[in-house]
Amino acid sequence: LDVSPISMEGPGREASTGGMQVHSCDTITDLSDIKSKAKFYMASNKPVLFKQGANSWQACNKWNFEFFCSGALGETMVEVSMDGKERGQKGKMSLRDYVSSFRSGAEAGGRQPANSVEDTKEEERGREQEQEQASRLDYKPYMRAWYFQEDHPELLQDFPNPPECFPDKFKALATEFQPPFTWIFIGPQGAFSPLHRDIWYTCAWMAQFQGRKRFLFVPPKDLKLVYRKLEDKEEYLDLRAPDLERFPSYRHANFIEAVLEPGDLLYIPSRWPHFVECLTDSVSLTSNFANVVNFKHVLIPYTRWLEKRQAAIQLMKGIMKMQLRSSGEDG
């Protein structure tokens, strides 16, 4: 049997499909009345790509690699996934050091060697060869799901949250009751997120600001072809090395492909497994949210999260009160 894994074929090119049934994601270029169009796809619970749907956001022009290496932002310590697993190996480094690990000095905001010549064809060819060679490695360290609001809340001013076309029931709540579901993703060409479903079965939007990123969606009706529920864990198909013993019928799944370019805005529906890879060095922003379609799925895990949060707050209040009593500062 010819079982071809998903693999990069060079800078800026889509991955091979390995004989799978891959269909193009619905794409909308006419952004007039975008709210009604987004409402239709949310009600249908289907993915849709709005071309240049985030192009007017300040972050689209501002959030480049040099920006993330500059000043206090570049000194911020971030967590980097080293193996792609949710609870797997993590590394800690400054944002500047992370970006510099896969970008050249000038592009990463560092100093260019004094005798270098910028933007030459030879350098461009060399960079492409380096990226192609690096993409053959099993996993690229990936800054996935950086919850930036604690360190740099000023970045919230650079984009609408929620976007007008994607109303969020969480955002209707007081800030302290909103789950921390808005994240920045930065990664090199070849970095990827394995096939997964999003937290609490929320839906999400993703805006692409730098580079190109590829999504492969699987409809919920085909979940059994790419997913196994075991006694002690869940297991998804590894699209980079498909296992026919575990997933003998995965090729019968109707995969849907979306390729994001700078300025694009993608709707990620609830309960749809998806695989994501950076086709080039990439910067993107995502936010998971609750709407009328997924609210019944979201309510139970949200309630549990809220109970734990409230319990933690009460515990901290109790500890502080005890400390005040022991120090005699409570009157």
PDB file of all heavy atoms in Angstrom, residues 222-256:
ATOM      1  N   ASP A 222     -16.719  12.217  10.324  1.00  0.00           N
ATOM      2  CA  ASP A 222     -15.607  11.322   9.980  1.00  0.00           C
ATOM      3  C   ASP A 222     -14.635  11.134  11.139  1.00  0.00           C
ATOM      4  O   ASP A 222     -13.532  10.600  10.953  1.00  0.00           O
ATOM      5  CB  ASP A 222     -14.844  11.873   8.768  1.00  0.00           C
ATOM      6  CG  ASP A 222     -15.655  11.791   7.481  1.00  0.00           C
ATOM      7  OD1 ASP A 222     -16.603  10.992   7.444  1.00  0.00           O
ATOM      8  OD2 ASP A 222     -15.344  12.524   6.527  1.00  0.00           O
ATOM      9  N   LEU A 223     -15.034  11.567  12.328  1.00  0.00           N
ATOM     10  CA  LEU A 223     -14.135  11.505  13.478  1.00  0.00           C
ATOM     11  C   LEU A 223     -13.601  10.093  13.711  1.00  0.00           C
ATOM     12  O   LEU A 223     -12.412   9.904  13.990  1.00  0.00           O
ATOM     13  CB  LEU A 223     -14.873  11.992  14.732  1.00  0.00           C
ATOM     14  CG  LEU A 223     -14.093  11.917  16.045  1.00  0.00           C
ATOM     15  CD1 LEU A 223     -12.889  12.853  16.006  1.00  0.00           C
ATOM     16  CD2 LEU A 223     -15.000  12.247  17.229  1.00  0.00           C
ATOM     17  N   LYS A 224     -14.463   9.093  13.594  1.00  0.00           N
ATOM     18  CA  LYS A 224     -14.063   7.706  13.882  1.00  0.00           C
ATOM     19  C   LYS A 224     -12.944   7.212  12.973  1.00  0.00           C
ATOM     20  O   LYS A 224     -12.259   6.234  13.299  1.00  0.00           O
ATOM     21  CB  LYS A 224     -15.273   6.778  13.765  1.00  0.00           C
ATOM     22  CG  LYS A 224     -15.878   6.707  12.374  1.00  0.00           C
ATOM     23  CD  LYS A 224     -17.104   5.815  12.354  1.00  0.00           C
ATOM     24  CE  LYS A 224     -17.739   5.720  10.959  1.00  0.00           C
ATOM     25  NZ  LYS A 224     -18.241   7.034  10.508  1.00  0.00           N
ATOM     26  N   LEU A 225     -12.725   7.876  11.843  1.00  0.00           N
ATOM     27  CA  LEU A 225     -11.681   7.456  10.910  1.00  0.00           C
ATOM     28  C   LEU A 225     -10.298   7.952  11.319  1.00  0.00           C
ATOM     29  O   LEU A 225      -9.282   7.428  10.841  1.00  0.00           O
ATOM     30  CB  LEU A 225     -12.009   7.954   9.503  1.00  0.00           C
ATOM     31  CG  LEU A 225     -13.355   7.518   8.913  1.00  0.00           C
ATOM     32  CD1 LEU A 225     -13.567   8.155   7.549  1.00  0.00           C
ATOM     33  CD2 LEU A 225     -13.430   5.993   8.812  1.00  0.00           C
ATOM     34  N   VAL A 226     -10.254   8.966  12.198  1.00  0.00           N
ATOM     35  CA  VAL A 226      -8.970   9.583  12.557  1.00  0.00           C
ATOM     36  C   VAL A 226      -8.747   9.650  14.065  1.00  0.00           C
ATOM     37  O   VAL A 226      -7.758  10.234  14.524  1.00  0.00           O
ATOM     38  CB  VAL A 226      -8.863  11.008  11.968  1.00  0.00           C
ATOM     39  CG1 VAL A 226      -8.943  10.971  10.448  1.00  0.00           C
ATOM     40  CG2 VAL A 226      -9.941  11.925  12.538  1.00  0.00           C
ATOM     41  N   TYR A 227      -9.643   9.034  14.846  1.00  0.00           N
ATOM     42  CA  TYR A 227      -9.608   9.199  16.306  1.00  0.00           C
ATOM     43  C   TYR A 227      -9.963   7.880  16.979  1.00  0.00           C
ATOM     44  O   TYR A 227     -10.839   7.149  16.515  1.00  0.00           O
ATOM     45  CB  TYR A 227     -10.604  10.284  16.712  1.00  0.00           C
ATOM     46  CG  TYR A 227     -10.910  10.390  18.184  1.00  0.00           C
ATOM     47  CD1 TYR A 227     -10.084  11.117  19.030  1.00  0.00           C
ATOM     48  CD2 TYR A 227     -12.045   9.778  18.720  1.00  0.00           C
ATOM     49  CE1 TYR A 227     -10.382  11.232  20.384  1.00  0.00           C
ATOM     50  CE2 TYR A 227     -12.350   9.891  20.068  1.00  0.00           C
ATOM     51  CZ  TYR A 227     -11.509  10.617  20.897  1.00  0.00           C
ATOM     52  OH  TYR A 227     -11.802  10.735  22.230  1.00  0.00           O
ATOM     53  N   ARG A 228      -9.248   7.584  18.085  1.00  0.00           N
ATOM     54  CA  ARG A 228      -9.563   6.399  18.882  1.00  0.00           C
ATOM     55  C   ARG A 228      -9.623   6.800  20.353  1.00  0.00           C
ATOM     56  O   ARG A 228      -8.766   7.541  20.853  1.00  0.00           O
ATOM     57  CB  ARG A 228      -8.491   5.319  18.718  1.00  0.00           C
ATOM     58  CG  ARG A 228      -8.342   4.788  17.307  1.00  0.00           C
ATOM     59  CD  ARG A 228      -7.587   3.469  17.287  1.00  0.00           C
ATOM     60  NE  ARG A 228      -6.364   3.490  18.083  1.00  0.00           N
ATOM     61  CZ  ARG A 228      -5.708   2.396  18.483  1.00  0.00           C
ATOM     62  NH1 ARG A 228      -6.172   1.214  18.176  1.00  0.00           N
ATOM     63  NH2 ARG A 228      -4.592   2.500  19.175  1.00  0.00           N
ATOM     64  N   LYS A 229     -10.652   6.315  21.034  1.00  0.00           N
ATOM     65  CA  LYS A 229     -10.782   6.529  22.467  1.00  0.00           C
ATOM     66  C   LYS A 229     -10.333   5.267  23.168  1.00  0.00           C
ATOM     67  O   LYS A 229     -10.971   4.207  23.061  1.00  0.00           O
ATOM     68  CB  LYS A 229     -12.237   6.843  22.816  1.00  0.00           C
ATOM     69  CG  LYS A 229     -12.512   6.997  24.305  1.00  0.00           C
ATOM     70  CD  LYS A 229     -11.985   8.305  24.839  1.00  0.00           C
ATOM     71  CE  LYS A 229     -12.477   8.515  26.272  1.00  0.00           C
ATOM     72  NZ  LYS A 229     -11.952   9.748  26.869  1.00  0.00           N
ATOM     73  N   LEU A 230      -9.208   5.342  23.867  1.00  0.00           N
ATOM     74  CA  LEU A 230      -8.677   4.210  24.597  1.00  0.00           C
ATOM     75  C   LEU A 230      -9.060   4.317  26.067  1.00  0.00           C
ATOM     76  O   LEU A 230      -9.656   5.309  26.495  1.00  0.00           O
ATOM     77  CB  LEU A 230      -7.159   4.153  24.432  1.00  0.00           C
ATOM     78  CG  LEU A 230      -6.662   4.165  22.969  1.00  0.00           C
ATOM     79  CD1 LEU A 230      -5.149   4.187  22.919  1.00  0.00           C
ATOM     80  CD2 LEU A 230      -7.216   2.961  22.212  1.00  0.00           C
ATOM     81  N   GLU A 231      -8.718   3.318  26.850  1.00  0.00           N
ATOM     82  CA  GLU A 231      -9.116   3.314  28.255  1.00  0.00           C
ATOM     83  C   GLU A 231      -8.555   4.508  29.018  1.00  0.00           C
ATOM     84  O   GLU A 231      -9.259   5.145  29.805  1.00  0.00           O
ATOM     85  CB  GLU A 231      -8.665   2.011  28.916  1.00  0.00           C
ATOM     86  CG  GLU A 231      -9.463   0.787  28.477  1.00  0.00           C
ATOM     87  CD  GLU A 231      -9.065  -0.452  29.246  1.00  0.00           C
ATOM     88  OE1 GLU A 231      -8.239  -0.326  30.185  1.00  0.00           O
ATOM     89  OE2 GLU A 231      -9.570  -1.540  28.928  1.00  0.00           O
ATOM     90  N   ASP A 232      -7.294   4.802  28.790  1.00  0.00           N
ATOM     91  CA  ASP A 232      -6.644   5.843  29.579  1.00  0.00           C
ATOM     92  C   ASP A 232      -6.221   7.061  28.772  1.00  0.00           C
ATOM     93  O   ASP A 232      -5.606   7.983  29.316  1.00  0.00           O
ATOM     94  CB  ASP A 232      -5.413   5.263  30.285  1.00  0.00           C
ATOM     95  CG  ASP A 232      -4.416   4.664  29.295  1.00  0.00           C
ATOM     96  OD1 ASP A 232      -4.813   4.402  28.152  1.00  0.00           O
ATOM     97  OD2 ASP A 232      -3.240   4.477  29.675  1.00  0.00           O
ATOM     98  N   LYS A 233      -6.523   7.082  27.487  1.00  0.00           N
ATOM     99  CA  LYS A 233      -6.111   8.238  26.691  1.00  0.00           C
ATOM    100  C   LYS A 233      -6.888   8.298  25.378  1.00  0.00           C
ATOM    101  O   LYS A 233      -7.584   7.361  24.985  1.00  0.00           O
ATOM    102  CB  LYS A 233      -4.612   8.183  26.393  1.00  0.00           C
ATOM    103  CG  LYS A 233      -4.206   7.015  25.504  1.00  0.00           C
ATOM    104  CD  LYS A 233      -2.706   7.068  25.178  1.00  0.00           C
ATOM    105  CE  LYS A 233      -2.304   5.925  24.259  1.00  0.00           C
ATOM    106  NZ  LYS A 233      -0.868   5.992  23.894  1.00  0.00           N
ATOM    107  N   GLU A 234      -6.742   9.437  24.701  1.00  0.00           N
ATOM    108  CA  GLU A 234      -7.296   9.616  23.365  1.00  0.00           C
ATOM    109  C   GLU A 234      -6.145   9.572  22.365  1.00  0.00           C
ATOM    110  O   GLU A 234      -5.018   9.956  22.683  1.00  0.00           O
ATOM    111  CB  GLU A 234      -8.021  10.967  23.255  1.00  0.00           C
ATOM    112  CG  GLU A 234      -9.207  11.106  24.179  1.00  0.00           C
ATOM    113  CD  GLU A 234      -9.869  12.464  24.024  1.00  0.00           C
ATOM    114  OE1 GLU A 234      -9.134  13.460  23.898  1.00  0.00           O
ATOM    115  OE2 GLU A 234     -11.103  12.523  24.019  1.00  0.00           O
ATOM    116  N   GLU A 235      -6.438   9.147  21.153  1.00  0.00           N
ATOM    117  CA  GLU A 235      -5.392   9.053  20.139  1.00  0.00           C
ATOM    118  C   GLU A 235      -5.933   9.530  18.799  1.00  0.00           C
ATOM    119  O   GLU A 235      -6.993   9.085  18.349  1.00  0.00           O
ATOM    120  CB  GLU A 235      -4.911   7.608  20.015  1.00  0.00           C
ATOM    121  CG  GLU A 235      -3.736   7.438  19.066  1.00  0.00           C
ATOM    122  CD  GLU A 235      -3.254   6.000  19.007  1.00  0.00           C
ATOM    123  OE1 GLU A 235      -4.096   5.083  19.036  1.00  0.00           O
ATOM    124  OE2 GLU A 235      -2.027   5.806  18.921  1.00  0.00           O
ATOM    125  N   TYR A 236      -5.195  10.454  18.177  1.00  0.00           N
ATOM    126  CA  TYR A 236      -5.547  10.955  16.854  1.00  0.00           C
ATOM    127  C   TYR A 236      -4.548  10.434  15.823  1.00  0.00           C
ATOM    128  O   TYR A 236      -3.392  10.130  16.140  1.00  0.00           O
ATOM    129  CB  TYR A 236      -5.520  12.485  16.833  1.00  0.00           C
ATOM    130  CG  TYR A 236      -6.672  13.147  17.541  1.00  0.00           C
ATOM    131  CD1 TYR A 236      -6.599  13.467  18.891  1.00  0.00           C
ATOM    132  CD2 TYR A 236      -7.854  13.457  16.854  1.00  0.00           C
ATOM    133  CE1 TYR A 236      -7.649  14.091  19.549  1.00  0.00           C
ATOM    134  CE2 TYR A 236      -8.906  14.080  17.498  1.00  0.00           C
ATOM    135  CZ  TYR A 236      -8.800  14.390  18.845  1.00  0.00           C
ATOM    136  OH  TYR A 236      -9.850  14.987  19.492  1.00  0.00           O
ATOM    137  N   LEU A 237      -4.998  10.367  14.600  1.00  0.00           N
ATOM    138  CA  LEU A 237      -4.135  10.022  13.483  1.00  0.00           C
ATOM    139  C   LEU A 237      -2.954  10.988  13.407  1.00  0.00           C
ATOM    140  O   LEU A 237      -3.125  12.201  13.504  1.00  0.00           O
ATOM    141  CB  LEU A 237      -4.941  10.090  12.182  1.00  0.00           C
ATOM    142  CG  LEU A 237      -4.165  10.009  10.860  1.00  0.00           C
ATOM    143  CD1 LEU A 237      -3.638   8.603  10.652  1.00  0.00           C
ATOM    144  CD2 LEU A 237      -5.054  10.434   9.693  1.00  0.00           C
ATOM    145  N   ASP A 238      -1.766  10.441  13.238  1.00  0.00           N
ATOM    146  CA  ASP A 238      -0.580  11.258  12.995  1.00  0.00           C
ATOM    147  C   ASP A 238      -0.471  11.460  11.483  1.00  0.00           C
ATOM    148  O   ASP A 238      -0.076  10.542  10.755  1.00  0.00           O
ATOM    149  CB  ASP A 238       0.661  10.560  13.545  1.00  0.00           C
ATOM    150  CG  ASP A 238       1.935  11.388  13.341  1.00  0.00           C
ATOM    151  OD1 ASP A 238       1.880  12.428  12.652  1.00  0.00           O
ATOM    152  OD2 ASP A 238       2.993  10.976  13.864  1.00  0.00           O
ATOM    153  N   LEU A 239      -0.799  12.632  11.017  1.00  0.00           N
ATOM    154  CA  LEU A 239      -0.824  12.882   9.577  1.00  0.00           C
ATOM    155  C   LEU A 239       0.566  12.895   8.957  1.00  0.00           C
ATOM    156  O   LEU A 239       0.699  12.807   7.739  1.00  0.00           O
ATOM    157  CB  LEU A 239      -1.538  14.198   9.287  1.00  0.00           C
ATOM    158  CG  LEU A 239      -3.067  14.096   9.253  1.00  0.00           C
ATOM    159  CD1 LEU A 239      -3.704  15.474   9.284  1.00  0.00           C
ATOM    160  CD2 LEU A 239      -3.514  13.346   8.011  1.00  0.00           C
ATOM    161  N   ARG A 240       1.591  12.987   9.769  1.00  0.00           N
ATOM    162  CA  ARG A 240       2.948  12.965   9.227  1.00  0.00           C
ATOM    163  C   ARG A 240       3.468  11.537   9.073  1.00  0.00           C
ATOM    164  O   ARG A 240       4.436  11.314   8.355  1.00  0.00           O
ATOM    165  CB  ARG A 240       3.877  13.785  10.121  1.00  0.00           C
ATOM    166  CG  ARG A 240       3.503  15.258  10.149  1.00  0.00           C
ATOM    167  CD  ARG A 240       4.693  16.135   9.966  1.00  0.00           C
ATOM    168  NE  ARG A 240       4.285  17.453   9.515  1.00  0.00           N
ATOM    169  CZ  ARG A 240       5.123  18.355   9.027  1.00  0.00           C
ATOM    170  NH1 ARG A 240       6.390  18.056   8.885  1.00  0.00           N
ATOM    171  NH2 ARG A 240       4.687  19.528   8.643  1.00  0.00           N
ATOM    172  N   ALA A 241       2.856  10.613   9.769  1.00  0.00           N
ATOM    173  CA  ALA A 241       3.250   9.206   9.659  1.00  0.00           C
ATOM    174  C   ALA A 241       2.022   8.346   9.929  1.00  0.00           C
ATOM    175  O   ALA A 241       1.894   7.738  10.992  1.00  0.00           O
ATOM    176  CB  ALA A 241       4.366   8.888  10.642  1.00  0.00           C
ATOM    177  N   PRO A 242       1.076   8.290   8.990  1.00  0.00           N
ATOM    178  CA  PRO A 242      -0.179   7.557   9.212  1.00  0.00           C
ATOM    179  C   PRO A 242       0.065   6.085   9.527  1.00  0.00           C
ATOM    180  O   PRO A 242       0.863   5.421   8.876  1.00  0.00           O
ATOM    181  CB  PRO A 242      -0.907   7.720   7.874  1.00  0.00           C
ATOM    182  CG  PRO A 242      -0.298   8.932   7.236  1.00  0.00           C
ATOM    183  CD  PRO A 242       1.133   8.935   7.660  1.00  0.00           C
ATOM    184  N   ASP A 243      -0.624   5.579  10.548  1.00  0.00           N
ATOM    185  CA  ASP A 243      -0.510   4.197  10.973  1.00  0.00           C
ATOM    186  C   ASP A 243      -1.757   3.441  10.499  1.00  0.00           C
ATOM    187  O   ASP A 243      -2.850   3.625  11.043  1.00  0.00           O
ATOM    188  CB  ASP A 243      -0.400   4.145  12.497  1.00  0.00           C
ATOM    189  CG  ASP A 243      -0.075   2.746  13.010  1.00  0.00           C
ATOM    190  OD1 ASP A 243      -0.520   1.764  12.372  1.00  0.00           O
ATOM    191  OD2 ASP A 243       0.608   2.639  14.037  1.00  0.00           O
ATOM    192  N   LEU A 244      -1.591   2.583   9.502  1.00  0.00           N
ATOM    193  CA  LEU A 244      -2.729   1.864   8.930  1.00  0.00           C
ATOM    194  C   LEU A 244      -3.297   0.813   9.876  1.00  0.00           C
ATOM    195  O   LEU A 244      -4.464   0.428   9.743  1.00  0.00           O
ATOM    196  CB  LEU A 244      -2.324   1.202   7.611  1.00  0.00           C
ATOM    197  CG  LEU A 244      -2.287   2.132   6.394  1.00  0.00           C
ATOM    198  CD1 LEU A 244      -1.744   1.398   5.190  1.00  0.00           C
ATOM    199  CD2 LEU A 244      -3.672   2.677   6.096  1.00  0.00           C
ATOM    200  N   GLU A 245      -2.512   0.356  10.813  1.00  0.00           N
ATOM    201  CA  GLU A 245      -3.042  -0.609  11.777  1.00  0.00           C
ATOM    202  C   GLU A 245      -4.025   0.059  12.727  1.00  0.00           C
ATOM    203  O   GLU A 245      -5.073  -0.500  13.051  1.00  0.00           O
ATOM    204  CB  GLU A 245      -1.900  -1.252  12.564  1.00  0.00           C
ATOM    205  CG  GLU A 245      -1.047  -2.202  11.727  1.00  0.00           C
ATOM    206  CD  GLU A 245      -0.032  -2.953  12.576  1.00  0.00           C
ATOM    207  OE1 GLU A 245      -0.078  -2.788  13.825  1.00  0.00           O
ATOM    208  OE2 GLU A 245       0.791  -3.679  12.007  1.00  0.00           O
ATOM    209  N   ARG A 246      -3.676   1.258  13.157  1.00  0.00           N
ATOM    210  CA  ARG A 246      -4.556   1.976  14.078  1.00  0.00           C
ATOM    211  C   ARG A 246      -5.697   2.688  13.350  1.00  0.00           C
ATOM    212  O   ARG A 246      -6.812   2.798  13.879  1.00  0.00           O
ATOM    213  CB  ARG A 246      -3.750   3.005  14.885  1.00  0.00           C
ATOM    214  CG  ARG A 246      -2.808   2.396  15.906  1.00  0.00           C
ATOM    215  CD  ARG A 246      -2.169   3.502  16.736  1.00  0.00           C
ATOM    216  NE  ARG A 246      -1.398   2.985  17.845  1.00  0.00           N
ATOM    217  CZ  ARG A 246      -0.108   2.685  17.787  1.00  0.00           C
ATOM    218  NH1 ARG A 246       0.548   2.842  16.647  1.00  0.00           N
ATOM    219  NH2 ARG A 246       0.517   2.234  18.851  1.00  0.00           N
ATOM    220  N   PHE A 247      -5.415   3.204  12.168  1.00  0.00           N
ATOM    221  CA  PHE A 247      -6.415   3.981  11.424  1.00  0.00           C
ATOM    222  C   PHE A 247      -6.482   3.480   9.983  1.00  0.00           C
ATOM    223  O   PHE A 247      -6.067   4.174   9.047  1.00  0.00           O
ATOM    224  CB  PHE A 247      -6.056   5.471  11.458  1.00  0.00           C
ATOM    225  CG  PHE A 247      -5.932   6.022  12.857  1.00  0.00           C
ATOM    226  CD1 PHE A 247      -4.690   6.156  13.456  1.00  0.00           C
ATOM    227  CD2 PHE A 247      -7.061   6.389  13.572  1.00  0.00           C
ATOM    228  CE1 PHE A 247      -4.570   6.657  14.743  1.00  0.00           C
ATOM    229  CE2 PHE A 247      -6.957   6.889  14.859  1.00  0.00           C
ATOM    230  CZ  PHE A 247      -5.710   7.023  15.450  1.00  0.00           C
ATOM    231  N   PRO A 248      -6.999   2.287   9.769  1.00  0.00           N
ATOM    232  CA  PRO A 248      -6.966   1.673   8.433  1.00  0.00           C
ATOM    233  C   PRO A 248      -7.805   2.394   7.382  1.00  0.00           C
ATOM    234  O   PRO A 248      -7.547   2.236   6.191  1.00  0.00           O
ATOM    235  CB  PRO A 248      -7.511   0.259   8.685  1.00  0.00           C
ATOM    236  CG  PRO A 248      -8.342   0.389   9.917  1.00  0.00           C
ATOM    237  CD  PRO A 248      -7.643   1.410  10.764  1.00  0.00           C
ATOM    238  N   SER A 249      -8.776   3.199   7.812  1.00  0.00           N
ATOM    239  CA  SER A 249      -9.696   3.824   6.852  1.00  0.00           C
ATOM    240  C   SER A 249      -9.568   5.339   6.807  1.00  0.00           C
ATOM    241  O   SER A 249     -10.467   6.030   6.323  1.00  0.00           O
ATOM    242  CB  SER A 249     -11.146   3.446   7.198  1.00  0.00           C
ATOM    243  OG  SER A 249     -11.321   2.043   7.198  1.00  0.00           O
ATOM    244  N   TYR A 250      -8.437   5.870   7.289  1.00  0.00           N
ATOM    245  CA  TYR A 250      -8.336   7.330   7.386  1.00  0.00           C
ATOM    246  C   TYR A 250      -8.473   8.023   6.033  1.00  0.00           C
ATOM    247  O   TYR A 250      -8.942   9.162   5.951  1.00  0.00           O
ATOM    248  CB  TYR A 250      -7.018   7.729   8.059  1.00  0.00           C
ATOM    249  CG  TYR A 250      -5.813   7.769   7.150  1.00  0.00           C
ATOM    250  CD1 TYR A 250      -5.435   8.944   6.509  1.00  0.00           C
ATOM    251  CD2 TYR A 250      -5.030   6.635   6.927  1.00  0.00           C
ATOM    252  CE1 TYR A 250      -4.324   8.990   5.681  1.00  0.00           C
ATOM    253  CE2 TYR A 250      -3.926   6.674   6.107  1.00  0.00           C
ATOM    254  CZ  TYR A 250      -3.574   7.851   5.484  1.00  0.00           C
ATOM    255  OH  TYR A 250      -2.484   7.889   4.653  1.00  0.00           O
ATOM    256  N   ARG A 251      -8.073   7.345   4.966  1.00  0.00           N
ATOM    257  CA  ARG A 251      -8.146   7.984   3.643  1.00  0.00           C
ATOM    258  C   ARG A 251      -9.582   8.217   3.183  1.00  0.00           C
ATOM    259  O   ARG A 251      -9.824   8.965   2.233  1.00  0.00           O
ATOM    260  CB  ARG A 251      -7.421   7.125   2.614  1.00  0.00           C
ATOM    261  CG  ARG A 251      -5.910   7.244   2.695  1.00  0.00           C
ATOM    262  CD  ARG A 251      -5.260   6.391   1.645  1.00  0.00           C
ATOM    263  NE  ARG A 251      -3.834   6.617   1.549  1.00  0.00           N
ATOM    264  CZ  ARG A 251      -3.026   5.883   0.791  1.00  0.00           C
ATOM    265  NH1 ARG A 251      -3.509   4.884   0.082  1.00  0.00           N
ATOM    266  NH2 ARG A 251      -1.742   6.157   0.737  1.00  0.00           N
ATOM    267  N   HIS A 252     -10.545   7.590   3.833  1.00  0.00           N
ATOM    268  CA  HIS A 252     -11.949   7.793   3.462  1.00  0.00           C
ATOM    269  C   HIS A 252     -12.526   9.050   4.105  1.00  0.00           C
ATOM    270  O   HIS A 252     -13.651   9.436   3.791  1.00  0.00           O
ATOM    271  CB  HIS A 252     -12.779   6.576   3.869  1.00  0.00           C
ATOM    272  CG  HIS A 252     -12.391   5.322   3.147  1.00  0.00           C
ATOM    273  ND1 HIS A 252     -12.466   5.200   1.775  1.00  0.00           N
ATOM    274  CD2 HIS A 252     -11.905   4.131   3.607  1.00  0.00           C
ATOM    275  CE1 HIS A 252     -12.050   3.990   1.413  1.00  0.00           C
ATOM    276  NE2 HIS A 252     -11.704   3.330   2.505  1.00  0.00           N
ATOM    277  N   ALA A 253     -11.766   9.660   4.999  1.00  0.00           N
ATOM    278  CA  ALA A 253     -12.218  10.914   5.608  1.00  0.00           C
ATOM    279  C   ALA A 253     -12.198  12.030   4.567  1.00  0.00           C
ATOM    280  O   ALA A 253     -11.337  12.059   3.684  1.00  0.00           O
ATOM    281  CB  ALA A 253     -11.327  11.277   6.793  1.00  0.00           C
ATOM    282  N   ASN A 254     -13.136  12.929   4.670  1.00  0.00           N
ATOM    283  CA  ASN A 254     -13.219  14.056   3.738  1.00  0.00           C
ATOM    284  C   ASN A 254     -12.489  15.266   4.336  1.00  0.00           C
ATOM    285  O   ASN A 254     -13.091  16.104   5.010  1.00  0.00           O
ATOM    286  CB  ASN A 254     -14.681  14.401   3.456  1.00  0.00           C
ATOM    287  CG  ASN A 254     -15.374  13.327   2.655  1.00  0.00           C
ATOM    288  OD1 ASN A 254     -15.198  13.226   1.450  1.00  0.00           O
ATOM    289  ND2 ASN A 254     -16.154  12.483   3.333  1.00  0.00           N
ATOM    290  N   PHE A 255     -11.192  15.314   4.111  1.00  0.00           N
ATOM    291  CA  PHE A 255     -10.389  16.415   4.631  1.00  0.00           C
ATOM    292  C   PHE A 255     -10.715  17.717   3.886  1.00  0.00           C
ATOM    293  O   PHE A 255     -10.968  17.704   2.684  1.00  0.00           O
ATOM    294  CB  PHE A 255      -8.895  16.113   4.484  1.00  0.00           C
ATOM    295  CG  PHE A 255      -8.408  15.010   5.378  1.00  0.00           C
ATOM    296  CD1 PHE A 255      -8.483  13.681   4.976  1.00  0.00           C
ATOM    297  CD2 PHE A 255      -7.881  15.290   6.625  1.00  0.00           C
ATOM    298  CE1 PHE A 255      -8.038  12.657   5.789  1.00  0.00           C
ATOM    299  CE2 PHE A 255      -7.420  14.268   7.459  1.00  0.00           C
ATOM    300  CZ  PHE A 255      -7.504  12.949   7.037  1.00  0.00           C
ATOM    301  N   ILE A 256     -10.710  18.811   4.634  1.00  0.00           N
ATOM    302  CA  ILE A 256     -10.933  20.136   4.045  1.00  0.00           C
ATOM    303  C   ILE A 256      -9.702  20.991   4.328  1.00  0.00           C
ATOM    304  O   ILE A 256      -9.253  21.100   5.474  1.00  0.00           O
ATOM    305  CB  ILE A 256     -12.201  20.789   4.607  1.00  0.00           C
ATOM    306  CG1 ILE A 256     -13.435  19.980   4.180  1.00  0.00           C
ATOM    307  CG2 ILE A 256     -12.325  22.233   4.142  1.00  0.00           C
ATOM    308  CD1 ILE A 256     -14.744  20.509   4.720  1.00  0.00           C
TER     309      ILE A 256
END
